[in-house]
Amino acid sequence: MRREPQPAAGAAIDSGRPIVAVLCERATERPRGLGGLEVDFRYCTADGLAVAVRGARGLLLWDYFSTAVRDVWADAGAVDWIHVAAAGVDTLLFDELRASDVVVTNAAGVFDRPIAEYVLGAVIAHAKDSRRSFDLQRRHQWEHRETRRVTGATALVVGTGRIGREIARLLRAVGMRVRGVGRTARAGDADFGEVVASGDLSAAAGWCDYLVLAAPLTEETRGLVDATVLRAMKPDAHLINVARGALVDEPVLLAALRDGWISGATLDVCTVEPLPSGHPLWDAPNVTITAHMSGDVVGWRDTLAAQYAENVRRWLAGEALLNVVDKKLGYVPGRPVTASWGGSAQ
């Protein structure tokens, strides 16, 4: 559905180059390395987006968790491309945008390895009882204990996209057994071996020592980890969430942690972020909480800007854009990767 372009605002001189509005969380936090691109950027924060977006053909959401686009949609009639500097696009998509012919792209690929490393770190920390070790050190207490092996442990990775696959590859590299959970069941996957249908998650959850959430937030995945799934897990299993907090029923998770349905959780994401200081998750037993930072390694913003710059070059040249999101699915679709007879991806 095409919308009528709105008149441009804010530019006294027309350079003839396409205008791109850039939404920043703070006025001082602009992306670096975009100066040589043949576009005119209008930088703004949420309160100035309605003006900045008028007449703009492109929109860069550097403030990637903002929901401000919905509020200024009537002013964005000239926009034909929106890029989100994040892997998840759940905070952007709304019905009018889904129904439009505006192309949405995201930052798929930037965070894959860092998030996989975070997950491996969480697995090792749990297996080696690091929380207990830190507590003992703070108390200056020497206590010998036995810990678990990582080799041979089992992980069920929910989400078979790029991030989920990188997690699977890294966990397999240290000797873990891995399965995936996706929209449809299949065998012979190059990274997961077996992929279980998401509708069968509760039946599969009892197999794993680690349940890793790496799926996009959609209507199908919202609340996916509920009481049925958590009760089906082993009492010594560990939940790791690097996706979105809303994939998990948090009140039920609190009950599961307090009552010993599972042994603990590592949560990089929560339903409400920042997590309020009085939230009971902070004090739940055997929980490690980080501030939605699993993919944010040194230099990540420059990598995001370089990826966007390449897409701008493609956009100006009329070439296919990278990481085009299926707005109905809510993520960048990819075909399943199956193993050939020799064991490599086809």
Side-chain angles (χ1 to χ4, degrees):
M1 181 184 300
R2 188 64 237 170
R3 298 150 302 130
E4 291 300 320
Q6 302 298 312
I13 300 175
D14 184 1
S15 69
R17 303 191 300 185
I19 297 170
V20 175
V22 183
L23 176 62
C24 303
E25 184 176 4
R26 300 177 184 84
T28 56
E29 294 184 356
R30 297 182 177 186
R32 300 182 300 186
L34 303 184
L37 299 173
E38 293 299 315
V39 296
D40 290 334
F41 289 109
R42 291 182 185 158
Y43 295 94
C44 67
T45 54
D47 57 357
L49 182 59
V51 172
V53 81
R54 291 175 195 155
R57 284 190 53 207
L59 173 58
L60 168 58
L61 297 185
W62 198 246
D63 182 5
Y64 34 83
F65 291 136
S66 175
T67 59
V69 177
R70 182 197 300 264
D71 298 332
V72 303
W73 191 238
D75 298 288
V79 170
D80 55 36
W81 171 37
I82 300 175
H83 180 80
V84 185
V89 296
D90 48 283
T91 55
L92 167 66
L93 295 178
F94 49 94
D95 290 344
E96 292 83 358
L97 175 54
R98 291 180 192 271
S100 75
D101 57 359
V102 173
V103 175
V104 174
T105 58
N106 72 357
V110 171
F111 302 105
D112 302 357
R113 187 67 177 193
I115 291 177
E117 292 173 355
Y118 176 99
V119 170
L120 177 58
V123 167
I124 293 173
H126 174 68
K128 303 309 175 185
D129 200 19
S130 295
R131 287 179 56 86
R132 175 71 174 162
S133 295
F134 296 152
D135 288 341
L136 290 169
Q137 181 177 347
R138 279 193 292 269
R139 299 202 299 264
H140 298 188
Q141 183 175 344
W142 182 277
E143 180 182 296
H144 181 270
R145 302 166 345 270
E146 294 180 345
T147 62
R148 299 173 183 268
R149 289 171 60 92
V150 171
T151 300
T154 53
L156 191 61
V157 180
V158 180
T160 57
R162 295 181 58 157
I163 292 174
R165 291 187 178 280
E166 190 67 18
I167 291 170
R169 287 190 285 266
L170 194 54
L171 297 186
R172 284 183 181 276
V174 297
M176 295 182 67
R177 293 178 289 152
V178 181
R179 293 176 183 168
V181 177
R183 297 179 70 200
T184 58
R186 57 186 179 272
D189 187 278
D191 297 313
F192 299 102
E194 178 185 355
V195 175
V196 178
S198 57
D200 297 326
L201 176 57
S202 60
W207 171 80
C208 66
D209 299 309
Y210 299 91
L211 180 61
V212 182
L213 306 184
L217 178 60
T218 67
E219 289 308 307
E220 288 72 30
T221 61
R222 187 180 297 274
L224 182 65
V225 179
D226 56 11
T228 303
V229 172
L230 289 166
R231 283 191 177 277
M233 294 173 66
K234 300 175 183 179
D236 60 354
H238 193 81
L239 175 70
I240 302 172
N241 191 358
V242 291
R244 289 291 187 267
L247 267 68
V248 180
D249 185 329
E250 280 186 356
V252 173
L253 174 60
L254 276 166
L257 293 164
R258 289 169 173 169
D259 296 342
W261 304 358
I262 61 175
S263 67
T266 300
L267 307 176
D268 186 51
V269 290
C270 301
T271 301
V272 177
E273 296 181 3
L275 188 66
S277 61
H279 197 285
L281 271 176
W282 287 113
D283 297 314
N286 299 320
V287 172
T288 298
I289 295 174
T290 54
H292 204 144
M293 53 186 277
S294 59
D296 299 351
V297 295
V298 174
W300 65 286
R301 290 182 177 86
D302 293 339
T303 304
L304 285 174
Q307 182 192 58
Y308 174 69
E310 169 59 19
N311 247 357
V312 170
R313 186 197 65 76
R314 289 168 173 260
W315 183 54
L316 294 175
E319 300 173 2
L321 297 179
L322 303 172
N323 298 336
V324 175
V325 173
D326 184 318
K327 293 182 290 183
K328 290 183 171 54
L329 292 176
Y331 52 86
V332 178
R335 67 179 180 87
V337 179
T338 55
S340 68
W341 64 269
S344 60
Q346 295 179 341

